[in-house]
Amino acid sequence: MAGRERVVRMSVEQPLWRALTAYRVLTLVYAALLTGFGLEKYERTWVALAFLAFLALWTLATLPRVANAASCTKRFLGLDLVVAMTGILLTPLADADAQHMDGPTLPSIWTAGSVLAFALKGGWRWAAFASTLVAAANIVERGEPSEDTFHNVLLVWVASIAIGYVVEVARASERTLARALEIEAATRERERLARDIHDSVLQVLSMVQRRGTALGGEAAELGRMAGDQEVALRTLVSSGLVPTTRVSEDSAEGAVVRRVDPDPGALEAGSEASEHDLRALLAPHAGSRVTFAEPGAPVPLSARAARELAAAVRAALDNVRAHAGPDAQAWILVEDEPDEVIVTVRDDGPGIPEGRLDQAEGEGRLGVALSIRGRLRDLGGTAELISVPGQGTEVELKVPKISRGKAGSAR
């Protein structure tokens, strides 16, 4: 995948760097011809020739620096701009009449190459910065701005900013294309894994379920567990949460691809600031008695929020298993709203008698108070429990996408 991203970068940006390399060489030749044909007008010929010789050495020696974005460092860009501005400011020293005539400066249009390097490296903001400094040097060199000076300065300023903007748009398009290529590769890998799993693991689990049910006794319980695992695995495969090939960041090329890590273990070792797909933590709960409904797209949350919300869902399911009866069905619904994530856990059990929760807390059984409401309160969210005797129980968990921590406990 990284190789494919490099191909994209080469096809979009590299020709611009090659064009800049050619431009610097051609404008060096142009500056040399201007100096050679007008040598008699210089009062200090040695100044013009010395600068031209230095410019030639600098240009040829730094050609590898303008070969690509990686080699064109900030330090080089600064020195290159100093060379261009020095040539502009030396022009009156070589030709005393330069301030009174609208002739070319010593570096002539070579200066534009230095500004364009800023545009290719950093976009339109860098181009605006460099062209502004060049404009100031031209005004100082002329003593007072003339119509031609203003025209030339404006032309360089607009052209460099336009090219810088085009470069930024091209880089944004590259990132979009790289993301699309990652999704395409992940989809193909997921389909391959789904075929392999279907032909092996799922068929074995299905066979164990059938044989266990037929044998009865303890084998029936094993069959039921195999059936639960089959449903959970099918959910993982169909929802796209099976781990696929990673695409790492290629800093040299500048193409950054970020993926939501579906590995629940990464929540323990990963950064709290990273994002994780909540679906990956909730999908394993799906089984013959638990139905899992999810959005088609990832549901990103911070590591802490995803971990705590998943723990609250697990506590709610534990309550279903403990109090709703062995044949109770449960449903998990995940809703990804613009400002918050809502997870609803509902069951068809007998419900909770009125006052039972307060009684449980008084007896020191704080499963709902701490495992569910306490976790959500610490995230700045809420947990609402609705139960009607004989009609089951529904727990609605809400977590803001930007966690307010304990500050939200007053909600």
Side-chain angles (χ1 to χ4, degrees), residues 266-276 301-308 379:
L267 290 172
E268 301 299 333
S271 169
E272 291 293 322
S274 62
E275 289 186 344
H276 299 276
L301 281 176
S302 68
R304 176 171 176 264
R307 181 174 61 243
E308 295 297 316
L379 295 174

Side-chain angles (χ1 to χ4, degrees), residues 58-405:
W58 174 259
T59 301
L60 297 178
T62 57
L63 287 181
R65 289 288 189 177
V66 291
N68 51 62
S71 58
C72 188
T73 62
K74 293 181 180 180
R75 182 173 181 272
F76 164 74
L77 288 174
L79 292 175
D80 198 57
L81 189 62
V82 168
V83 170
M85 294 174 61
T86 300
I88 294 173
L89 298 176
L90 282 178
T91 302
L93 182 62
D95 181 10
D97 294 330
Q99 291 185 331
H100 308 292
M101 301 176 62
D102 288 324
T105 60
L106 289 177
S108 185
I109 58 175
W110 184 93
T111 304
S114 180
V115 177
L116 293 177
F118 272 82
L120 294 183
K121 176 68 175 182
W124 70 268
R125 294 175 180 82
W126 288 31
F129 170 76
S131 57
T132 300
L133 292 181
V134 169
N138 274 283
I139 293 174
V140 171
E141 182 265 333
R142 294 299 178 187
E144 59 182 23
S146 64
E147 182 178 348
D148 286 343
T149 301
F150 178 78
H151 176 269
N152 293 335
V153 165
L154 184 62
L155 182 63
V156 172
W157 200 72
V158 171
S160 61
I161 290 179
I163 292 176
Y165 180 75
V166 169
V167 169
E168 289 188 359
V169 171
R171 286 173 177 163
S173 300
E174 284 179 28
R175 290 191 291 269
T176 302
L177 178 57
R179 176 60 179 164
L181 292 174
E182 180 204 6
I183 294 174
E184 179 188 359
T187 301
R188 289 198 303 267
E189 178 70 6
R190 184 166 62 247
E191 290 174 351
R192 183 190 66 80
L193 288 173
R195 290 193 299 268
D196 292 344
I197 291 173
H198 180 271
D199 293 340
S200 56
V201 181
L202 291 178
Q203 290 186 358
V204 171
L205 291 175
S206 179
M207 182 186 69
V208 171
Q209 182 187 24
R210 292 194 304 270
R211 293 292 298 275
T213 303
L215 291 173
E218 294 183 358
E221 179 63 17
L222 292 176
R224 185 192 65 78
M225 294 173 61
D228 289 344
Q229 294 303 311
E230 179 190 3
V231 173
L233 188 55
R234 287 187 186 276
T235 302
L236 286 172
V237 172
S238 62
S239 62
L241 298 178
V242 176
T244 55
T245 305
R246 288 180 177 269
V247 181
S248 60
E249 176 181 336
D250 190 347
S251 58
E253 294 297 328
V256 179
V257 177
R258 183 177 64 88
R259 70 186 292 273
V260 178
D261 194 337
D263 180 11
L267 290 172
E268 301 299 333
S271 169
E272 291 293 322
S274 62
E275 289 186 344
H276 299 276
D277 190 352
L278 178 65
R279 303 178 308 162
L281 298 181
L282 301 183
H285 293 301
S288 59
R289 293 188 175 87
V290 179
T291 301
F292 178 54
E294 53 165 327
V299 183
L301 281 176
S302 68
R304 176 171 176 264
R307 181 174 61 243
E308 295 297 316
L309 184 54
V313 171
R314 187 164 56 250
L317 292 175
D318 288 341
N319 286 335
V320 173
R321 284 188 287 268
H323 304 295
D327 298 325
Q329 295 287 326
W331 293 265
I332 303 174
L333 172 63
V334 179
E335 300 174 85
D336 189 8
E337 300 294 337
D339 300 323
E340 63 184 359
V341 174
I342 304 174
V343 180
T344 304
V345 181
R346 183 171 62 86
D347 66 71
D348 61 355
I352 302 175
E354 186 176 354
R356 179 56 181 159
L357 289 179
D358 294 335
Q359 180 184 352
E361 291 186 23
E363 295 172 354
R365 292 189 296 229
L366 304 177
V368 173
L370 295 182
S371 295
I372 299 179
R373 286 177 178 158
R375 292 180 187 275
L376 273 294
R377 184 173 57 248
D378 289 344
L379 295 174
T382 60
E384 296 183 9
L385 189 146
I386 303 173
S387 181
V388 177
Q391 298 183 20
T393 302
E394 179 176 301
V395 179
E396 185 180 70
L397 311 172
K398 294 183 179 180
V399 174
K401 290 189 174 179
I402 300 178
S403 178
R404 295 184 293 275

